[in-house]
Amino acid sequence: MNNYTPKPVNTDDIKLSDELLQLTETIAENVHDVWAQGRISEGWTYGEKRNDALKETPCLVPYSQLPESEKEFDRNTALNTLKLVIALGYRIEKGE
């Protein structure tokens, strides 16, 4: 029996600046590229439908061509990672 109960850090009170919200999209695109690179290195290729046996997925396309639902998954990852960094007391500053 699996008794795993996820306990993510509560970041509901963290508000990101406009600059960090814009960064979220860049991070989301990179998250997708890292995922895609990993899949390709594992032998996955593009396919019209996901097929685990054949290692095919329709998501092996540039981020801009992903369905909005897939982009939202990557954005959520990016957004929650930025909020976690701030919740843990770190500051994010852009260099010159």
Side-chain angles (χ1 to χ4, degrees):
M1 183 169 176
N2 184 349
N3 292 325
Y4 170 61
T5 303
K7 296 178 184 154
V9 172
N10 185 336
T11 59
D12 291 344
D13 61 333
I14 302 295
K15 303 296 180 219
L16 299 180
S17 67
D18 288 342
E19 187 175 38
L20 288 180
L21 286 173
Q22 291 174 4
L23 178 60
T24 299
E25 192 68 13
T26 302
I27 293 172
E29 184 171 354
N30 193 67
V31 165
H32 173 68
D33 285 347
V34 169
W35 171 87
Q37 186 177 50
R39 290 298 169 272
I40 291 168
S41 72
E42 294 170 351
W44 285 75
T45 59
Y46 174 83
E48 289 292 322
K49 294 183 181 178
R50 184 178 170 117
N51 183 322
D52 291 354
L54 296 176
K55 291 187 172 182
E56 293 178 344
T57 176
C59 292
L60 280 180
V61 295
Y63 180 79
S64 62
Q65 295 176 18
L66 285 175
E68 197 59 30
S69 60
E70 292 295 328
K71 288 181 183 179
E72 280 302 314
F73 181 84
D74 293 330
R75 286 181 190 126
N76 190 47
T77 299
L79 181 69
N80 283 294
T81 299
L82 286 171
K83 285 182 166 188
L84 174 63
V85 168
I86 292 169
L88 294 176
Y90 293 91
R91 291 185 312 177
I92 301 171
E93 295 179 4
K94 185 175 182 178
E96 309 252 343

